[in-house]
Amino acid sequence: MLTSLFFLVIMLVGVPIGLCLCLSGIFYIYNTDNPVLLQSFATQMFAGVDSYGLIAIPLFILIGEVMNSGGITRRLVDLSMAFVGSIKGGLAYVNILANMLVSSIIGSATAQVAIMSQVMVPEMEKQGYDKTFAAGLTVYGGMLGPIIPPSVMFVVYSVLAQVAVGDMLIAGILPGILLTLLFFGVIACMGLIYNYPRSAKRTLRERAMTVLTSSPTLLIPLVIVGSILTGLANPTEAAAVGAVSAVLVGRYVTREFKYSDLGAIMLRSAIYSAIVLFLVAAASVFSWLLIYGKIPQMVAAWIQTVAHDPITFLLLVNVILLIIGTVIDGIPGLIMTAPILLPIATEIYHIDPRHFGVVIVINLVLGLMTPPVGLSFFVAAAVTGAKPGRMFIVTLPFFIISVVALVMLSLFPSLSLGLLD
């Protein structure tokens, strides 16, 4: 109890979550008067990141940085415009479709929201859309980032759960497509009420030219996802090839990437990668101490008194994680909760760890769109100037349909495991 209180206090005063985990671990060791555990502290931290699968994280981050620098995002938006831009509410569909394409490269919700807000919101404003709606829609489009591969959160979960990284990345494809289609449905319904504008029609020749000039950018997600699906490469190798592909496309196709920018790109990628990997290392120590203190067993005993079957358990977990996700970012929330909940899910309720991973990740990502924090709304607000609270209200139907999708994924494992069976 004292350790939990200590953790909450230092987190609320603004201590970074990675340090919170480490300091809480040290506090627990001294509070239980067991200094012998301190001798293994550094070893456990190193063991937490001593995994080949984690090499994919800095490579995926590098791909996103190169893509943003190389103007590839703009080409993907143009490609989406060629297909759905001229129908009623076309730019709203383009926003979601472009986010879907970009998410297959970036893999981070907040990074994607920051990038796509700069691209989509001004364009939607020009076409007559409300800025608040445009920014909020971009936030929900960014939700696809950690779901459709590559996904940093799925890589982290794979290491925590000791499951194949490739399996987790593939498990995110169908849920990502499902969410995209559901968002399309919401746009269609809202378009009937608010009479969304149409974009200027393009001739067949103009569309063909756009497809011709923009389609090479699809090489990056095709290389990443295709090589994993076909078994030609594991996720780490696919990420390395994808990074090379991003450089080549940015330099010789879009011609906006400069080799002189590579140093700054590598530095930004290294900083963000270090933050993520330190979180993983800190989580390893934290989960090690949780197991030593028999916390998972105590939580399991309580849950069994409330949830008597796998479905009830998953619905209970959804509520718990949604609350956690409202105040804690995705990856820290994942590495704090997965070590406790995963053994209960797999050993007591016999839930497939890959299915559980999809549910837990989507739940925590949805927390990024949920007040009182709603981090993604604040990111969009910083870029666009729209108010976060009003964004949530205007786009409330997307939140509701996201919750519906989460319940569907909880009830029907085939929606996440269909491509793996």
Side-chain angles (χ1 to χ4, degrees):
M1 183 63 71
L2 285 176
T3 304
S4 301
L5 182 62
F6 177 79
F7 176 84
L8 288 173
V9 169
I10 61 176
M11 184 180 71
L12 291 175
V13 298
V15 176
I17 193 70
L19 288 178
C20 286
L21 293 170
C22 290
L23 293 174
S24 297
I26 294 173
F27 180 84
Y28 173 81
I29 290 172
Y30 281 102
N31 188 47
T32 55
D33 195 25
N34 196 346
V36 176
L37 293 175
L38 197 61
Q39 299 175 6
S40 302
F41 198 91
T43 304
Q44 289 296 327
M45 285 194 73
F46 176 77
V49 291
D50 186 21
S51 171
Y52 175 74
L54 289 176
I55 299 175
I57 290 179
L59 291 171
F60 285 146
I61 293 170
L62 177 62
I63 291 172
E65 291 287 345
V66 171
M67 186 200 76
N68 191 35
S69 176
I72 296 171
T73 304
R74 180 74 257 176
R75 302 306 195 282
L76 292 174
V77 172
D78 290 342
L79 187 62
S80 302
M81 285 288 292
F83 288 102
V84 297
S86 60
I87 64 177
K88 186 176 182 179
L91 266 183
Y93 291 103
V94 168
N95 194 325
I96 297 298
L97 184 58
N99 267 290
M100 181 184 180
L101 295 174
V102 172
S103 68
S104 64
I105 302 172
I106 294 181
S108 167
T110 51
Q112 185 163 324
V113 168
I115 293 169
M116 295 303 289
S117 293
Q118 299 175 51
V119 176
M120 290 305 307
V121 176
E123 192 65 32
M124 292 182 73
E125 274 194 282
K126 289 178 187 176
Q127 295 290 331
Y129 290 85
D130 176 61
K131 179 171 73 172
T132 303
F133 170 76
L137 181 64
T138 305
V139 167
Y140 282 98
M143 182 180 176
L144 301 171
I147 301 171
I148 296 176
S151 165
V152 173
M153 287 186 70
F154 277 149
V155 173
V156 172
Y157 176 83
S158 299
V159 174
L160 294 173
Q162 296 298 300
V163 298
V165 176
D167 284 357
M168 283 310 307
L169 295 180
I170 293 170
I173 296 176
L174 291 181
I177 294 173
L178 173 66
L179 272 171
T180 301
L181 295 176
L182 290 175
F183 288 162
F184 280 175
V186 173
I187 293 170
C189 294
M190 292 181 71
L192 296 174
I193 301 172
Y194 297 106
N195 194 28
Y196 291 145
R198 299 175 184 267
S199 300
K201 287 188 176 182
R202 299 189 181 193
T203 65
L204 186 59
R205 176 183 173 83
E206 288 173 334
R207 293 186 182 190
M209 287 300 297
T210 301
V211 171
L212 186 63
T213 56
S214 302
S215 55
T217 57
L218 292 176
L219 176 67
I220 305 167
L222 285 175
V223 164
I224 297 171
V225 180
S227 59
I228 295 173
L229 283 173
T230 57
L232 293 175
N234 61 41
T236 304
E237 294 165 346
V241 176
V244 174
S245 301
V247 171
L248 294 177
V249 170
R251 183 69 183 92
Y252 299 107
V253 178
T254 66
R255 298 186 179 181
E256 294 183 28
F257 175 79
K258 300 176 183 177
Y259 287 120
S260 58
D261 297 335
L262 197 55
I265 289 172
M266 296 283 280
L267 178 61
R268 289 195 299 270
S269 301
I271 292 172
Y272 186 58
S273 300
I275 293 171
V276 174
L277 293 173
F278 179 73
L279 283 170
V280 175
S284 176
V285 174
F286 195 72
S287 60
W288 168 60
L289 291 173
L290 286 175
I291 293 169
Y292 178 83
K294 298 183 179 179
I295 302 299
Q297 291 90 324
M298 289 188 284
V299 174
W302 174 78
I303 287 180
Q304 283 182 282
T305 63
V306 180
H308 302 291
D309 56 78
I311 292 177
T312 309
F313 168 74
L314 284 174
L315 294 178
L316 177 63
V317 166
N318 284 338
V319 175
I320 294 172
L321 291 180
L322 190 58
I323 295 171
I324 292 173
T326 60
V327 294
I328 300 177
D329 197 2
I331 292 178
L334 176 66
I335 59 184
M336 287 172 59
T337 56
I340 297 175
L341 296 174
L342 181 64
I344 302 171
T346 55
E347 295 172 15
I348 297 176
Y349 295 99
H350 307 292
I351 297 171
D352 190 299
R354 300 168 299 179
H355 174 220
F356 188 68
V358 171
V359 171
I360 195 173
V361 166
I362 293 178
N363 212 314
L364 290 170
V365 171
L366 187 58
L368 295 173
M369 292 85 185
T370 309
V373 178
L375 182 61
S376 288
F377 282 122
F378 282 96
V379 171
V383 175
T384 65
K387 295 189 180 298
R390 182 163 156 72
M391 263 191 270
F392 177 75
I393 294 172
V394 169
T395 56
L396 186 59
F398 292 93
F399 179 81
I400 294 171
I401 204 66
S402 298
V403 172
V404 170
L406 184 58
V407 172
M408 290 172 61
L409 288 164
S410 300
L411 298 178
F412 305 107
S414 59
L415 290 176
S416 55
L417 304 179
L419 296 178
L420 293 169
D421 295 335

